[in-house]
Amino acid sequence: MAAHALDSFLSQAAARCGAMPVATGAAIEPRYLEAARYGAGQAAALLRPASVAELAALLPLAARHGLRIVPQGAHTGLVRAGTPTDAQRDLLLATERLREVFELDLLDRTLRVSAGYRLSEINERLAPHGLMLPIDLSADPSVGGMLAHNTGGTRMLRFGDVRANTLGLTVVTAEGQVLRLGRGLQKDNAALPLQQLFIGSSGSLGVIAEATFKLARLPRQQAVALVAPNSLDAVLPLYQRLMDELGSLVSACEGISRAAFEAALSCGGERSRWFGGELPDYALLIELSSDLPADKLDLQALLQGWLEAEFGERVADAVLGADAACWALRHHISEGLRARGKVVGFDVSLPRRHFMAFREAGRAWLAEHFAPAELADFGHLGDGGMHFNLVWPKDAPLLDEAALRAGVYALVQRFEGSFSAEHGIGPQLQQSYWDLSAPELLDWSGRVQRLFDPAACLGLTVWGPPPR
Amino acid sequence: MAAHALDSFLSQAAARCGAMPVATGAAIEPRYLEAARYGAGQAAALLRPASVAELAALLPLAARHGLRIVPQGAHTGLVRAGTPTDAQRDLLLATERLREVFELDLLDRTLRVSAGYRLSEINERLAPHGLMLPIDLSADPSVGGMLAHNTGGTRMLRFGDVRANTLGLTVVTAEGQVLRLGRGLQKDNAALPLQQLFIGSSGSLGVIAEATFKLARLPRQQAVALVAPNSLDAVLPLYQRLMDELGSLVSACEGISRAAFEAALSCGGERSRWFGGELPDYALLIELSSDLPADKLDLQALLQGWLEAEFGERVADAVLGADAACWALRHHISEGLRARGKVVGFDVSLPRRHFMAFREAGRAWLAEHFAPAELADFGHLGDGGMHFNLVWPKDAPLLDEAALRAGVYALVQRFEGSFSAEHGIGPQLQQSYWDLSAPELLDWSGRVQRLFDPAACLGLTVWGPPPR
């Protein structure tokens, strides 16, 4: 039955989208099935449409055949939302060939762009114009993937998340309707804001084909400092004074735990460059940036002056670095942790008022219940985001990951935080989503999903209550 | 039948919300029925709940009785969305007594606040902490009203619209469910973003009871200049260079036509102070602001230096003013126009690339088809928003307003603009919404509205296609 449905689908898809590359079974290249951080998936077929018209033909056809479309961008996500799981039923829809549109408007500072473009390519093409799409990540996602999960990143503090930079979407529904939502204007309230529903929906309400983004000016200067606060208790007050005094210039404020710091050093080999002395319990990477040139406002001097006022005579010890190597250290953390054992990642966020308290409670809870785990958290203190990551040593006993996750998320809940800050929801977090969401939220989210996808043929995330 | 339904509703409402003030028929104070700019409405009863619990009791009760709830904030809106129209069926729900919550978090820089608070009161209470809710308007709306229409304002260019400053909502559905949407965190993608649907929905999907806002720091200094560009063609290039060189400091860039300028002067009496000479065809009000004090970055000197570089020897003539009187002039425009005749307002927005071209096309179209009209546009050049307002002289023949609106909006459409930039949609724009929206957008918007309000008992805006 399923095989027959697939054959029928493929022959009708070929009739409507003749030029579209299709692969089935073992002919699907492994890179489409192997996720960034998890095990491989499986799919009945791989479809690679190149146009809105092909999407509009494929989606209703899949629904009619009882098959499921799993949209996949650059496959850099961390919640398995783009990794198909059903070898009979899943149609992996790679969006990488959706490249019909790249319309840059310099006066409006907007970019209309197809879902298949990747962040790096966009920013390479914008740089000569002094512009950028201000989403800053270690990964290189596609437009569609960033929208499906409403990506944040290290400079969200200044520029907002993907949602804040999106002025319009073109979406194809499960019925094959092409919805052009928003006109790409800065200010427009002439419709129900349906486009907002699709941002962060994990590709489950429709397939995003195009977006119009608001662009930002590339900074003309930046200043960086890696700082060791006097104590853990001093971290948040320091942050608060920074924001009060220099807030409009702060483009990143990242927190780095001692273990994360050490892991990064061990992999980058820069340790000797930083200190002879001891690593700090918690370090802050502060970045200022501005579109003013240094002859109008000298950011390096401003930051140095602020640090001197903060730390007084201690400043030489407190400032561990003040150049690009600080960011290199930050970006080495993940690699350094993986060298030490199995990394279990938690992408959570907390109200800033609970940020450090949660961290300490989490450390204590881990010590009690999962003693071999080494906490090596880092993240975006500025916006409350925390990668509460830990390393499970290679020689430790088998980890009960479900119990670990349940415990950490319960703690996040207790401190009024979110169990998914910037990675969105997918199969990886499905059970946690069910466990941690209010019944009325599940109820209404399920109603909305059924409205857009009554046949449950789009994506892997179930927004409603768990099936009985 | 209707009277019986009303009696039954009122007695049950009294049983559940005993402390709630209620008025019916002629006992309803006129201020609840008289809109800011339009004629008076009518309602069967006025309800003034004070709590989320009362809202949750009232909404399903109204639906069961076939009555319609019309939420009203401070009644400052301009699209009639808060002015009830049906003396038998409409229950005017004033949100002004919803004041249960005012929770300021200084470390998170967030405010959780009930829908009944007004913008001015919020900002008065935030100012001693050096904080603000950065929505800047001439009117003084309530929290609920601002959210229902996703208000913009004069500083949106820098701080974004209400949506951009909203981190969470508490909404009561027509069924009486209380949905707490979003946790008030800066970064949170652990749910379908249902809260986004309610922002800009004109109170038609549910009643917004509380919101959590992100707050901004009050600026430590501002610099203002009212500038006359060399010609109409010079306006956009001047704006573009401003944003390229000083963009991160620009907090407003307002455009003022000659007629709007003259109207403001005639009402404020400041004309002699500005010039002896002729008024400019188009003026720009530029505002810079910063959280840095002037000893770190002197905004006034920076702006003056930029203007000198732009205008050279002409600078003394080009800069018409550089103090708070510039904003007073801007805020006198509406009053000045009303003194000259009937004002017909169009709250539109355009892509910046078409901003000046639309203006000229609009002027030509008016001269041809509505010759007595005097165009006196002004607005938010920086974000593409334009109050394309015109004055119909008192002694001119009767105005065919429907034809005027249809013509102006057709032109807006041709220039890829929006017919409602920051005032939202309500009965005032209902027909235009139907005429100007794509069928598939009407279709899906109607489906979403029916999902949330199947009995059509909430609000006056119909998001679906026109009833046949």
Side-chain angles (χ1 to χ4, degrees), chain A residues 105 107-108 156 175 177 186-189 217 220 244 248 291 349 352-353 380 418 420-422 444 447, chain B residues 105 107-108 150 156 175 177 186-189 217 220 244 248 291 349 352-353 380 418 420-422 444 447:
Chain A
D105 187 314
L107 194 47
D108 275 322
M156 186 186 135
E175 294 174 11
Q177 275 179 316
Q186 310 280 339
K187 195 179 227 169
D188 183 11
N189 285 288
R217 207 201 177 294
R220 287 198 173 82
D244 186 60
S248 67
D291 52 359
S349 83
R352 278 196 294 261
R353 63 186 181 276
H380 320 297
S418 165
S420 188
E422 58 178 356
W444 274 101
R447 295 194 210 187
Chain B
D105 187 314
L107 194 47
D108 275 323
N150 188 29
M156 185 185 137
E175 293 174 13
Q177 275 179 316
Q186 310 279 339
K187 197 179 223 168
D188 183 11
N189 284 288
R217 207 201 177 292
R220 287 197 174 81
D244 186 60
S248 68
D291 52 358
S349 83
R352 279 196 294 263
R353 62 186 181 277
H380 320 296
S418 164
S420 187
E422 59 180 352
W444 275 100
R447 295 194 208 186

Short mmCIF file of all heavy atoms in Angstrom, two decimals, chain A residues 105 107-108 156 175 177 186-189 217 220 244 248 291 349 352-353 380 418 420-422 444 447, chain B residues 105 107-108 150 156 175 177 186-189 217 220 244 248 291 349 352-353 380 418 420-422 444 447:
data_model
loop_
_atom_site.label_atom_id
_atom_site.label_comp_id
_atom_site.label_asym_id
_atom_site.label_seq_id
_atom_site.Cartn_x
_atom_site.Cartn_y
_atom_site.Cartn_z
N ASP A 105 17.39 45.61 -1.98
CA ASP A 105 16.95 46.99 -2.15
C ASP A 105 17.79 47.87 -1.22
O ASP A 105 17.62 47.85 -0.01
CB ASP A 105 15.46 47.10 -1.83
CG ASP A 105 14.93 48.48 -2.16
OD1 ASP A 105 15.59 49.47 -1.80
OD2 ASP A 105 13.86 48.57 -2.77
N LEU A 107 17.97 51.16 -0.88
CA LEU A 107 17.34 52.31 -0.23
C LEU A 107 16.45 51.84 0.93
O LEU A 107 16.43 52.45 1.99
CB LEU A 107 16.54 53.10 -1.26
CG LEU A 107 16.08 54.49 -0.85
CD1 LEU A 107 17.20 55.30 -0.22
CD2 LEU A 107 15.51 55.23 -2.04
N ASP A 108 15.76 50.74 0.71
CA ASP A 108 14.92 50.20 1.79
C ASP A 108 15.72 49.37 2.78
O ASP A 108 15.22 49.02 3.85
CB ASP A 108 13.82 49.32 1.20
CG ASP A 108 12.62 50.14 0.77
OD1 ASP A 108 12.30 51.11 1.48
OD2 ASP A 108 12.03 49.83 -0.26
N MET A 156 21.99 38.69 19.17
CA MET A 156 20.56 38.94 19.30
C MET A 156 20.25 40.09 20.25
O MET A 156 19.30 40.85 20.06
CB MET A 156 19.88 37.67 19.81
CG MET A 156 18.38 37.81 19.84
SD MET A 156 17.58 36.41 20.59
CE MET A 156 16.41 37.27 21.62
N GLU A 175 -2.27 22.55 1.26
CA GLU A 175 -3.22 22.52 0.14
C GLU A 175 -2.61 23.00 -1.17
O GLU A 175 -3.27 22.96 -2.22
CB GLU A 175 -4.41 23.45 0.42
CG GLU A 175 -5.27 23.02 1.56
CD GLU A 175 -6.34 24.08 1.86
OE1 GLU A 175 -6.51 25.03 1.07
OE2 GLU A 175 -6.98 23.94 2.91
N GLN A 177 -1.71 26.23 -1.62
CA GLN A 177 -1.91 27.67 -1.80
C GLN A 177 -0.59 28.41 -1.56
O GLN A 177 0.15 28.07 -0.64
CB GLN A 177 -2.96 28.21 -0.83
CG GLN A 177 -4.39 28.04 -1.36
CD GLN A 177 -5.41 28.56 -0.37
OE1 GLN A 177 -5.31 28.29 0.83
NE2 GLN A 177 -6.41 29.27 -0.85
N GLN A 186 8.50 48.19 6.34
CA GLN A 186 8.92 48.32 7.73
C GLN A 186 7.71 48.42 8.66
O GLN A 186 7.76 48.02 9.82
CB GLN A 186 9.78 49.58 7.91
CG GLN A 186 10.92 49.73 6.90
CD GLN A 186 12.14 48.91 7.23
OE1 GLN A 186 12.33 48.51 8.37
NE2 GLN A 186 12.96 48.61 6.24
N LYS A 187 6.63 49.01 8.15
CA LYS A 187 5.47 49.31 9.01
C LYS A 187 4.22 48.94 8.23
O LYS A 187 3.93 49.56 7.21
CB LYS A 187 5.50 50.81 9.30
CG LYS A 187 4.62 51.29 10.42
CD LYS A 187 4.80 52.79 10.57
CE LYS A 187 5.00 53.21 12.02
NZ LYS A 187 5.42 54.60 12.14
N ASP A 188 3.48 47.96 8.69
CA ASP A 188 2.35 47.45 7.91
C ASP A 188 1.45 46.67 8.84
O ASP A 188 1.85 45.65 9.39
CB ASP A 188 2.89 46.56 6.78
CG ASP A 188 1.79 46.04 5.87
OD1 ASP A 188 0.64 46.52 5.97
OD2 ASP A 188 2.08 45.15 5.04
N ASN A 189 0.25 47.16 9.04
CA ASN A 189 -0.71 46.45 9.88
C ASN A 189 -2.05 46.33 9.19
O ASN A 189 -3.10 46.60 9.78
CB ASN A 189 -0.84 47.15 11.23
CG ASN A 189 0.36 46.89 12.12
OD1 ASN A 189 0.52 45.79 12.62
ND2 ASN A 189 1.22 47.87 12.26
N ARG A 217 23.34 47.85 9.03
CA ARG A 217 24.63 48.33 8.54
C ARG A 217 25.75 47.54 9.20
O ARG A 217 25.69 47.24 10.39
CB ARG A 217 24.79 49.82 8.87
CG ARG A 217 25.71 50.47 7.86
CD ARG A 217 26.37 51.73 8.19
NE ARG A 217 27.25 52.12 7.10
CZ ARG A 217 28.36 51.45 6.74
NH1 ARG A 217 28.70 50.34 7.36
NH2 ARG A 217 29.11 51.88 5.75
N ARG A 220 31.36 49.90 11.70
CA ARG A 220 32.64 50.44 11.22
C ARG A 220 33.76 50.14 12.22
O ARG A 220 34.93 50.22 11.89
CB ARG A 220 32.53 51.95 11.01
CG ARG A 220 31.70 52.33 9.79
CD ARG A 220 31.96 53.77 9.34
NE ARG A 220 31.28 54.05 8.08
CZ ARG A 220 29.99 54.38 7.99
NH1 ARG A 220 29.24 54.45 9.07
NH2 ARG A 220 29.45 54.61 6.81
N ASP A 244 23.60 49.68 31.51
CA ASP A 244 23.12 51.01 31.88
C ASP A 244 24.00 52.09 31.28
O ASP A 244 23.52 53.13 30.85
CB ASP A 244 23.09 51.14 33.41
CG ASP A 244 22.47 52.46 33.82
OD1 ASP A 244 21.29 52.68 33.45
OD2 ASP A 244 23.15 53.28 34.46
N SER A 248 23.62 50.82 24.43
CA SER A 248 23.31 50.91 23.00
C SER A 248 24.49 50.50 22.13
O SER A 248 24.34 50.29 20.93
CB SER A 248 22.89 52.34 22.65
OG SER A 248 23.98 53.22 22.80
N ASP A 291 28.40 52.03 14.14
CA ASP A 291 28.58 52.47 12.76
C ASP A 291 29.36 53.79 12.69
O ASP A 291 29.68 54.25 11.60
CB ASP A 291 27.23 52.60 12.03
CG ASP A 291 26.22 53.44 12.79
OD1 ASP A 291 26.54 53.92 13.89
OD2 ASP A 291 25.11 53.63 12.28
N SER A 349 16.88 29.11 28.30
CA SER A 349 17.06 30.52 28.65
C SER A 349 16.35 30.80 29.96
O SER A 349 15.41 30.10 30.34
CB SER A 349 16.56 31.45 27.54
OG SER A 349 15.18 31.66 27.62
N ARG A 352 16.97 37.00 33.43
CA ARG A 352 18.33 37.36 33.88
C ARG A 352 18.43 37.32 35.41
O ARG A 352 19.46 36.97 35.96
CB ARG A 352 18.72 38.74 33.35
CG ARG A 352 19.23 38.69 31.92
CD ARG A 352 19.97 39.96 31.56
NE ARG A 352 19.09 41.11 31.53
CZ ARG A 352 18.55 41.64 30.43
NH1 ARG A 352 18.79 41.10 29.25
NH2 ARG A 352 17.78 42.69 30.49
N ARG A 353 17.33 37.68 36.08
CA ARG A 353 17.38 37.71 37.55
C ARG A 353 17.68 36.34 38.14
O ARG A 353 18.15 36.22 39.27
CB ARG A 353 16.07 38.26 38.12
CG ARG A 353 14.84 37.43 37.81
CD ARG A 353 13.54 38.08 38.27
NE ARG A 353 12.39 37.23 37.98
CZ ARG A 353 11.76 37.17 36.81
NH1 ARG A 353 12.14 37.94 35.82
NH2 ARG A 353 10.74 36.36 36.63
N HIS A 380 24.65 33.11 26.15
CA HIS A 380 24.36 34.50 25.86
C HIS A 380 23.76 35.18 27.07
O HIS A 380 22.57 35.43 27.14
CB HIS A 380 23.41 34.57 24.67
CG HIS A 380 23.72 33.57 23.59
ND1 HIS A 380 24.90 33.58 22.88
CD2 HIS A 380 23.03 32.52 23.10
CE1 HIS A 380 24.90 32.58 21.99
NE2 HIS A 380 23.77 31.92 22.13
N SER A 418 12.96 28.85 29.85
CA SER A 418 12.48 28.14 28.67
C SER A 418 13.39 26.96 28.39
O SER A 418 14.62 27.09 28.45
CB SER A 418 12.47 29.07 27.46
OG SER A 418 12.34 28.32 26.26
N SER A 420 13.70 25.60 25.50
CA SER A 420 14.27 25.72 24.16
C SER A 420 14.37 27.19 23.79
O SER A 420 13.39 27.83 23.41
CB SER A 420 13.46 24.96 23.12
OG SER A 420 14.16 24.96 21.89
N ALA A 421 15.57 27.73 23.91
CA ALA A 421 15.75 29.16 23.73
C ALA A 421 15.83 29.54 22.26
O ALA A 421 15.11 30.38 21.78
CB ALA A 421 17.01 29.62 24.45
N GLU A 422 16.72 28.87 21.53
CA GLU A 422 16.94 29.31 20.14
C GLU A 422 17.08 28.17 19.16
O GLU A 422 17.36 28.40 18.00
CB GLU A 422 18.18 30.22 20.05
CG GLU A 422 19.45 29.56 20.55
CD GLU A 422 20.69 30.47 20.42
OE1 GLU A 422 20.55 31.56 19.87
OE2 GLU A 422 21.76 30.05 20.85
N TRP A 444 -4.63 24.56 22.09
CA TRP A 444 -4.76 25.57 21.04
C TRP A 444 -3.70 25.40 19.95
O TRP A 444 -3.97 25.62 18.77
CB TRP A 444 -4.72 26.97 21.64
CG TRP A 444 -6.10 27.37 22.09
CD1 TRP A 444 -6.60 27.36 23.34
CD2 TRP A 444 -7.17 27.77 21.23
NE1 TRP A 444 -7.93 27.74 23.33
CE2 TRP A 444 -8.29 28.00 22.05
CE3 TRP A 444 -7.29 27.96 19.86
CZ2 TRP A 444 -9.53 28.41 21.53
CZ3 TRP A 444 -8.52 28.37 19.34
CH2 TRP A 444 -9.62 28.59 20.17
N ARG A 447 -4.98 22.77 17.71
CA ARG A 447 -6.05 23.26 16.83
C ARG A 447 -5.47 24.04 15.64
O ARG A 447 -5.94 23.90 14.51
CB ARG A 447 -6.99 24.18 17.60
CG ARG A 447 -7.76 23.49 18.73
CD ARG A 447 -8.88 24.39 19.20
NE ARG A 447 -9.20 24.21 20.61
CZ ARG A 447 -10.24 24.80 21.20
NH1 ARG A 447 -11.03 25.62 20.53
NH2 ARG A 447 -10.49 24.58 22.49
N ASP B 105 10.65 44.46 36.44
CA ASP B 105 11.86 43.72 36.77
C ASP B 105 13.05 44.51 36.25
O ASP B 105 13.29 44.59 35.05
CB ASP B 105 11.80 42.33 36.13
CG ASP B 105 12.97 41.48 36.60
OD1 ASP B 105 14.11 41.98 36.60
OD2 ASP B 105 12.74 40.32 36.96
N LEU B 107 16.31 44.06 36.60
CA LEU B 107 17.46 43.33 36.06
C LEU B 107 17.14 42.80 34.66
O LEU B 107 17.98 42.85 33.76
CB LEU B 107 17.84 42.19 37.00
CG LEU B 107 19.20 41.54 36.77
CD1 LEU B 107 20.29 42.56 36.58
CD2 LEU B 107 19.54 40.61 37.92
N ASP B 108 15.93 42.32 34.49
CA ASP B 108 15.53 41.85 33.17
C ASP B 108 15.11 42.99 32.25
O ASP B 108 14.97 42.79 31.05
CB ASP B 108 14.35 40.87 33.30
CG ASP B 108 14.83 39.47 33.58
OD1 ASP B 108 15.86 39.09 33.03
OD2 ASP B 108 14.17 38.77 34.36
N ASN B 150 -0.99 46.93 17.11
CA ASN B 150 0.47 46.92 16.89
C ASN B 150 0.98 48.31 16.54
O ASN B 150 1.58 48.56 15.47
CB ASN B 150 0.85 45.92 15.80
CG ASN B 150 2.36 45.76 15.70
OD1 ASN B 150 3.07 45.92 16.70
ND2 ASN B 150 2.85 45.45 14.52
N MET B 156 9.72 54.39 16.05
CA MET B 156 9.75 52.99 15.63
C MET B 156 11.02 52.63 14.86
O MET B 156 11.55 51.53 14.97
CB MET B 156 8.54 52.70 14.75
CG MET B 156 8.46 51.25 14.39
SD MET B 156 7.13 50.90 13.24
CE MET B 156 7.99 49.79 12.14
N GLU B 175 -13.93 31.15 24.37
CA GLU B 175 -14.38 30.02 25.21
C GLU B 175 -14.12 30.25 26.69
O GLU B 175 -14.54 29.44 27.53
CB GLU B 175 -13.62 28.74 24.83
CG GLU B 175 -13.93 28.21 23.47
CD GLU B 175 -13.02 27.04 23.13
OE1 GLU B 175 -12.34 26.50 24.03
OE2 GLU B 175 -13.00 26.67 21.96
N GLN B 177 -10.98 30.35 27.95
CA GLN B 177 -9.67 29.81 28.37
C GLN B 177 -8.69 30.96 28.57
O GLN B 177 -8.69 31.92 27.80
CB GLN B 177 -9.12 28.87 27.30
CG GLN B 177 -9.65 27.44 27.42
CD GLN B 177 -9.10 26.54 26.34
OE1 GLN B 177 -9.05 26.92 25.19
NE2 GLN B 177 -8.68 25.34 26.72
N GLN B 186 13.58 36.98 26.95
CA GLN B 186 14.10 37.62 25.75
C GLN B 186 14.21 36.61 24.60
O GLN B 186 14.09 36.97 23.44
CB GLN B 186 15.50 38.21 26.03
CG GLN B 186 15.59 39.07 27.28
CD GLN B 186 15.08 40.49 27.07
OE1 GLN B 186 15.01 40.97 25.97
NE2 GLN B 186 14.72 41.15 28.17
N LYS B 187 14.46 35.37 24.94
CA LYS B 187 14.76 34.35 23.93
C LYS B 187 14.04 33.08 24.31
O LYS B 187 14.36 32.48 25.33
CB LYS B 187 16.28 34.11 23.95
CG LYS B 187 16.86 33.42 22.77
CD LYS B 187 18.37 33.31 22.95
CE LYS B 187 19.12 33.63 21.68
NZ LYS B 187 20.56 33.81 21.94
N ASP B 188 13.07 32.68 23.50
CA ASP B 188 12.22 31.56 23.88
C ASP B 188 11.53 31.03 22.63
O ASP B 188 10.74 31.73 22.01
CB ASP B 188 11.18 32.05 24.91
CG ASP B 188 10.29 30.92 25.41
OD1 ASP B 188 10.59 29.75 25.14
OD2 ASP B 188 9.29 31.23 26.09
N ASN B 189 11.86 29.82 22.26
CA ASN B 189 11.21 29.21 21.09
C ASN B 189 10.72 27.81 21.42
O ASN B 189 10.94 26.86 20.68
CB ASN B 189 12.18 29.19 19.90
CG ASN B 189 12.32 30.55 19.29
OD1 ASN B 189 11.40 31.04 18.63
ND2 ASN B 189 13.44 31.21 19.53
N ARG B 217 16.36 51.81 27.76
CA ARG B 217 16.90 52.84 28.62
C ARG B 217 16.49 54.20 28.11
O ARG B 217 16.46 54.44 26.91
CB ARG B 217 18.43 52.75 28.65
CG ARG B 217 18.97 53.30 29.94
CD ARG B 217 20.35 53.74 30.01
NE ARG B 217 20.61 54.29 31.34
CZ ARG B 217 20.08 55.41 31.81
NH1 ARG B 217 19.22 56.10 31.08
NH2 ARG B 217 20.38 55.84 33.01
N ARG B 220 20.27 59.56 27.49
CA ARG B 220 20.90 60.58 28.34
C ARG B 220 21.02 61.91 27.60
O ARG B 220 21.24 62.94 28.22
CB ARG B 220 22.27 60.12 28.81
CG ARG B 220 22.20 59.02 29.87
CD ARG B 220 23.53 58.88 30.61
NE ARG B 220 23.39 57.93 31.71
CZ ARG B 220 23.45 56.60 31.58
NH1 ARG B 220 23.63 56.07 30.39
NH2 ARG B 220 23.30 55.82 32.63
N ASP B 244 23.39 55.95 6.75
CA ASP B 244 24.66 55.29 6.53
C ASP B 244 25.72 55.79 7.52
O ASP B 244 26.53 55.03 8.02
CB ASP B 244 25.14 55.52 5.10
CG ASP B 244 26.40 54.73 4.82
OD1 ASP B 244 26.34 53.50 4.93
OD2 ASP B 244 27.45 55.34 4.53
N SER B 248 22.84 54.40 13.72
CA SER B 248 22.55 53.80 15.02
C SER B 248 22.13 54.85 16.04
O SER B 248 21.62 54.50 17.11
CB SER B 248 23.76 53.02 15.53
OG SER B 248 24.80 53.92 15.84
N ASP B 291 22.39 56.75 24.88
CA ASP B 291 22.53 56.56 26.33
C ASP B 291 23.90 57.01 26.82
O ASP B 291 24.15 57.02 28.02
CB ASP B 291 22.24 55.10 26.72
CG ASP B 291 23.05 54.09 25.93
OD1 ASP B 291 23.82 54.51 25.04
OD2 ASP B 291 22.92 52.89 26.19
N SER B 349 1.82 53.29 4.32
CA SER B 349 3.28 53.21 4.31
C SER B 349 3.73 52.74 2.94
O SER B 349 2.99 52.05 2.23
CB SER B 349 3.82 52.33 5.43
OG SER B 349 3.80 50.97 5.07
N ARG B 352 10.58 52.70 0.96
CA ARG B 352 11.25 54.00 0.90
C ARG B 352 11.59 54.40 -0.54
O ARG B 352 11.56 55.57 -0.88
CB ARG B 352 12.52 53.98 1.76
CG ARG B 352 12.24 54.19 3.23
CD ARG B 352 13.50 54.57 4.00
NE ARG B 352 14.45 53.48 4.04
CZ ARG B 352 14.57 52.61 5.05
NH1 ARG B 352 13.81 52.72 6.11
NH2 ARG B 352 15.47 51.67 5.00
N ARG B 353 11.90 53.40 -1.36
CA ARG B 353 12.28 53.73 -2.75
C ARG B 353 11.14 54.42 -3.50
O ARG B 353 11.37 55.12 -4.49
CB ARG B 353 12.72 52.46 -3.50
CG ARG B 353 11.63 51.41 -3.63
CD ARG B 353 12.16 50.11 -4.26
NE ARG B 353 11.10 49.12 -4.41
CZ ARG B 353 10.68 48.31 -3.45
NH1 ARG B 353 11.25 48.34 -2.26
NH2 ARG B 353 9.70 47.45 -3.67
N HIS B 380 6.42 59.45 8.96
CA HIS B 380 7.63 58.82 9.44
C HIS B 380 8.48 58.35 8.27
O HIS B 380 8.54 57.16 7.98
CB HIS B 380 7.26 57.67 10.36
CG HIS B 380 6.10 57.96 11.27
ND1 HIS B 380 6.16 58.94 12.23
CD2 HIS B 380 4.85 57.45 11.35
CE1 HIS B 380 5.00 59.00 12.88
NE2 HIS B 380 4.19 58.11 12.36
N SER B 418 1.28 49.88 1.88
CA SER B 418 0.24 49.34 2.76
C SER B 418 -0.81 50.41 3.02
O SER B 418 -0.47 51.57 3.26
CB SER B 418 0.85 48.91 4.09
OG SER B 418 -0.16 48.72 5.06
N SER B 420 -2.74 50.43 5.58
CA SER B 420 -2.84 50.69 7.01
C SER B 420 -1.49 50.41 7.67
O SER B 420 -1.13 49.26 7.91
CB SER B 420 -3.94 49.87 7.67
OG SER B 420 -4.09 50.30 9.02
N ALA B 421 -0.76 51.47 7.93
CA ALA B 421 0.62 51.31 8.43
C ALA B 421 0.64 51.02 9.92
O ALA B 421 1.23 50.06 10.37
CB ALA B 421 1.42 52.57 8.12
N GLU B 422 -0.02 51.88 10.70
CA GLU B 422 0.12 51.72 12.16
C GLU B 422 -1.18 51.89 12.91
O GLU B 422 -1.18 51.89 14.13
CB GLU B 422 1.17 52.71 12.70
CG GLU B 422 0.84 54.17 12.42
CD GLU B 422 1.91 55.12 12.98
OE1 GLU B 422 2.80 54.67 13.69
OE2 GLU B 422 1.80 56.33 12.71
N TRP B 444 -7.55 32.45 4.35
CA TRP B 444 -6.85 31.91 5.53
C TRP B 444 -7.10 32.74 6.78
O TRP B 444 -7.20 32.20 7.88
CB TRP B 444 -5.35 31.77 5.24
CG TRP B 444 -5.09 30.46 4.57
CD1 TRP B 444 -4.90 30.23 3.25
CD2 TRP B 444 -5.09 29.17 5.21
NE1 TRP B 444 -4.77 28.88 3.01
CE2 TRP B 444 -4.88 28.21 4.19
CE3 TRP B 444 -5.26 28.74 6.53
CZ2 TRP B 444 -4.81 26.84 4.47
CZ3 TRP B 444 -5.18 27.38 6.80
CH2 TRP B 444 -4.97 26.45 5.78
N ARG B 447 -10.35 31.65 8.10
CA ARG B 447 -10.27 30.35 8.79
C ARG B 447 -9.69 30.52 10.20
O ARG B 447 -10.17 29.88 11.15
CB ARG B 447 -9.36 29.40 8.00
CG ARG B 447 -9.87 29.04 6.62
CD ARG B 447 -9.08 27.86 6.10
NE ARG B 447 -9.01 27.84 4.65
CZ ARG B 447 -8.47 26.85 3.94
NH1 ARG B 447 -7.95 25.80 4.55
NH2 ARG B 447 -8.44 26.89 2.63
#
